[in-house]
């Protein structure tokens, strides 16, 4: 077993274990809940590209050090330098695309917090293993951003309108809910993860069916909690299928007579979130249903560029101030109400940036891909 050092000049943010033809990448910023920094993303991209072309590598396992898989991107650093932020998102979305179209098998062990960029680094891969410690969320609308890292692709493909619910409210999902909705492919008790890793290394196989069967041997079918919102897909579909955010909110308020906690929590989350973020997020998820993963990432990069340029709204920077810097948790959104965010304002986020210094995302050409990857295109 060997360890590879990072060439970034910082403490190793991605550790590597080599065992036969298996490479295990360990996100290693435990004090920051493995928040994805630029050096971490850069290193992951280097490894994934190198392993894809290396005939001695058959399987890549990705996991986190400590109690988080990855709690999201290091957005505070992005907000401090918008130009560097554009480079950050370009590299991160390229990594997401490589993972989504990867020729080899990626197994992500999601034993802890999986938020934002952590979802982008795992959900696009072939196998996602949740545990009793897993906690998934896309909380971007509360920060003045939007669910990105390809979320407009994978959220739009969850059952019914569950993706709109998760993406707009930032709802926290446990491991059982992740498995039920398809964000996870397997559920393995955390105490069995090390044995699973050993079995995968021992099998030394690039055969997807064999890898799946091995994970199946360690898997369980967890029971959804009684109060899980996933039990109420009928209400979620009835509300989150509405055309506008305003109509979604009104529909949810009509459902409060049922007295279910998750409904009042969803309403509260929507009312606290950035109105601009909610509207651009809904449009992105809706349009994502009709797009391939690459098209979704290109569109999300455009949206990020408009966010960083502050042309329509400065909500992302205000959200970072209120939640990450001053921590008063009282952002002053502008516009402050849903009805003040016009369709024209929303549409500007989806238009090409009219500035030669802010180009559209150009993704690497991918060929000779497995059928599962072509299906995403």
């Amino acid at each position: 077993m060997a360890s590879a050092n990072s060439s970034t000049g910082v403490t190793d943010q991605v550790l590597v274990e080599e065992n036969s033809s298996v490479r295990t990448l360990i996100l290693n910023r435990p004090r920051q809940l493995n928040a994805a920094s630029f050096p971490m993303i850069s290193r992951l991209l280097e490894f994934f590209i190198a392993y894809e072309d290396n005939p001695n590598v058959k399987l890549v396992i990705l996991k986190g050090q400590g109690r988080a898989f990855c709690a999201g991107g290091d957005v505070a650093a992005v907000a401090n330098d918008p130009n560097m932020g554009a480079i950050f998102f370009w590299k991160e979305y390229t990594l997401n695309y490589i993972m989504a179209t990867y020729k080899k098998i990626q197994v992500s062990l999601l034993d802890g917090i999986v938020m934002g960029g952590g979802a982008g680094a795992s959900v696009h891969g072939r196998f996602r293993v949740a545990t009793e410690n897993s906690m998934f969320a896309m909380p971007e609308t509360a920060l003045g951003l939007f669910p990105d890292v390809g979320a407009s692709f994978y959220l739009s493909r969850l059952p019914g309108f569950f993706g709109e619910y998760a993406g707009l409210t930032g709802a926290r999902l446990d491991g059982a809910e992740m498995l039920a909705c398809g964000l996870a492919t397997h559920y393995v008790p955390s105490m069995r993860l090390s044995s699973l890793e050993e079995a995968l290394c021992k099998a030394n196989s690039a055969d997807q069916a064999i890898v799946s069967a091995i994970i199946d041997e360690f898997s369980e079918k967890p029971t959804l909690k009684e109060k899980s919102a996933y039990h109420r897909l009928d209400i979620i579909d009835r509300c989150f299928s509405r055309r506008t955010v305003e109509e979604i909110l009104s529909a949810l308020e009509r459902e409060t007579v049922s007295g279910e906690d998750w409904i009042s929590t969803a309403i509260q989350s929507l009312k606290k979130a950035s109105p601009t973020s909610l509207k651009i997020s809904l449009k992105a998820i809706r349009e994502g249903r009709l797009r391939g993963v690459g098209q979704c990432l290109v569109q999300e990069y455009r949206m990020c560029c408009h966010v960083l340029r502050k042309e329509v709204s400065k909500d992302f920077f205000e959200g970072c101030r209120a939640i990450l810097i001053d921590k008063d948790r009282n952002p002053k959104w502008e516009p402050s109400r849903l009805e003040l965010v016009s369709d024209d304002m929303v549409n500007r986020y989806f238009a090409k940036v009219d500035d030669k210094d802010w180009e559209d995302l150009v993704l690497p050409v991918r060929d000779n891909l497995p059928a599962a990857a072509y299906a995403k295109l």
Side-chain angles (χ1 to χ4, degrees):
M1 187 172 288
S3 178
N5 290 326
S6 167
S7 61
T8 59
V10 296
T11 304
D12 290 340
Q13 297 189 10
V14 180
L15 304 179
V16 183
E17 293 177 355
E18 299 182 4
N19 192 318
S20 188
S21 61
V22 176
R23 298 294 180 271
T24 301
L25 302 179
I26 306 166
L27 307 182
N28 187 40
R29 299 183 75 204
R31 292 179 63 184
Q32 295 82 18
L33 300 178
N34 298 323
S37 66
F38 187 75
M40 179 187 284
I41 289 168
S42 300
R43 199 67 174 138
L44 283 173
L45 184 58
E46 288 175 21
F47 283 131
F48 269 83
I49 290 172
Y51 294 159
E52 190 168 48
D53 294 330
N54 186 343
N56 296 319
V57 177
K58 297 177 180 177
L59 175 74
V60 180
I61 296 173
L62 185 61
K63 63 180 184 178
Q65 192 85 276
R67 66 187 182 93
F69 171 75
C70 172
D74 194 353
V75 292
V78 170
N80 285 335
D81 185 347
N83 288 313
M84 184 61 198
I87 298 170
F88 175 95
F89 286 123
W90 184 295
K91 185 148 285 195
E92 184 177 32
Y93 294 2
T94 300
L95 173 65
N96 300 149
Y97 186 64
I98 293 290
M99 288 176 164
T101 58
Y102 210 52
K103 296 173 186 175
K104 295 183 179 178
I105 300 170
Q106 176 186 345
V107 178
S108 299
L109 305 180
L110 308 178
D111 188 33
I113 300 166
V114 186
M115 298 171 77
S122 57
V123 175
H124 295 296
R126 180 61 191 89
F127 297 112
R128 291 93 61 190
V129 180
T131 76
E132 74 279 6
N133 299 320
S134 300
M135 191 282 286
F136 173 96
M138 297 297 289
E140 289 82 0
T141 60
L143 198 64
L145 197 55
F146 60 91
D148 64 331
V149 294
S152 59
F153 178 81
Y154 62 76
L155 289 181
S156 66
R157 282 154 177 81
L158 298 186
F161 292 86
F162 195 72
E164 277 91 337
Y165 162 70
L168 295 183
T169 68
R172 296 187 170 196
L173 309 179
D174 63 22
E177 290 168 320
M178 291 172 67
L179 181 69
C181 75
L183 287 166
T185 58
H186 296 80
Y187 181 99
V188 175
S190 59
M191 63 183 295
R192 305 191 75 188
L193 286 180
S194 57
S195 297
L196 168 60
E197 288 186 68
E198 288 176 18
L200 289 171
C201 292
K202 186 177 179 181
N204 199 29
S205 176
D207 188 309
Q208 184 170 292
I210 292 174
V211 171
S212 183
I214 291 169
I215 305 175
D216 285 341
E217 289 177 22
F218 293 87
S219 296
E220 291 182 359
K221 289 291 184 188
T223 303
L224 284 172
K225 291 176 182 174
E226 184 181 347
K227 292 189 175 182
S228 170
Y230 200 75
H231 285 305
R232 301 313 306 269
L233 278 179
D234 56 334
I235 295 178
I236 287 174
D237 288 351
R238 189 156 62 238
C239 296
F240 284 87
S241 61
R242 302 293 174 137
R243 190 179 64 85
T244 66
V245 179
E246 292 93 330
E247 290 171 3
I248 289 171
L249 196 48
S250 295
L252 281 169
E253 287 173 336
R254 287 193 294 274
E255 298 285 352
T256 54
V257 292
S258 67
E260 296 181 47
D261 291 344
W262 71 269
I263 297 177
S264 55
T265 300
I267 291 171
Q268 188 177 25
S269 297
L270 291 174
K271 288 184 174 179
K272 283 185 176 180
S274 156
T276 301
S277 292
L278 289 172
K279 289 203 170 185
I280 64 175
S281 299
L282 181 61
K283 182 177 173 67
I285 294 170
R286 293 276 160 88
E287 293 191 355
R289 281 193 174 87
L290 306 174
R291 291 182 165 147
V293 66
Q295 294 170 309
C296 285
L297 287 164
V298 169
Q299 181 60 77
E300 289 174 12
Y301 184 76
R302 277 189 185 181
M303 295 168 70
C304 273
C305 289
H306 286 292
V307 166
L308 294 171
R309 286 165 60 87
K310 310 179 192 178
E311 293 173 320
V312 187
S313 170
K314 299 177 182 177
D315 278 2
F316 171 58
F317 299 88
E318 172 61 10
C320 286
R321 180 206 65 76
I323 294 169
L324 303 176
I325 301 169
D326 296 343
K327 298 184 179 178
D328 57 43
R329 307 193 74 80
N330 187 30
K332 300 292 189 291
W333 304 127
E334 186 60 44
S336 59
R337 300 195 309 276
L338 287 167
E339 62 268 25
L340 299 177
V341 183
S342 68
D343 288 347
D344 179 62
M345 292 168 68
V346 172
N347 291 335
R348 285 173 65 184
Y349 282 91
F350 292 78
K352 191 177 189 301
V353 177
D354 187 18
D355 186 329
K356 60 180 176 60
D357 293 329
W358 293 72
E359 298 178 349
D360 270 349
L361 176 65
V362 179
L363 293 167
V365 175
R366 308 286 284 153
D367 52 24
N368 300 318
L369 298 175
Y374 274 120
K376 298 177 184 177
L377 302 178

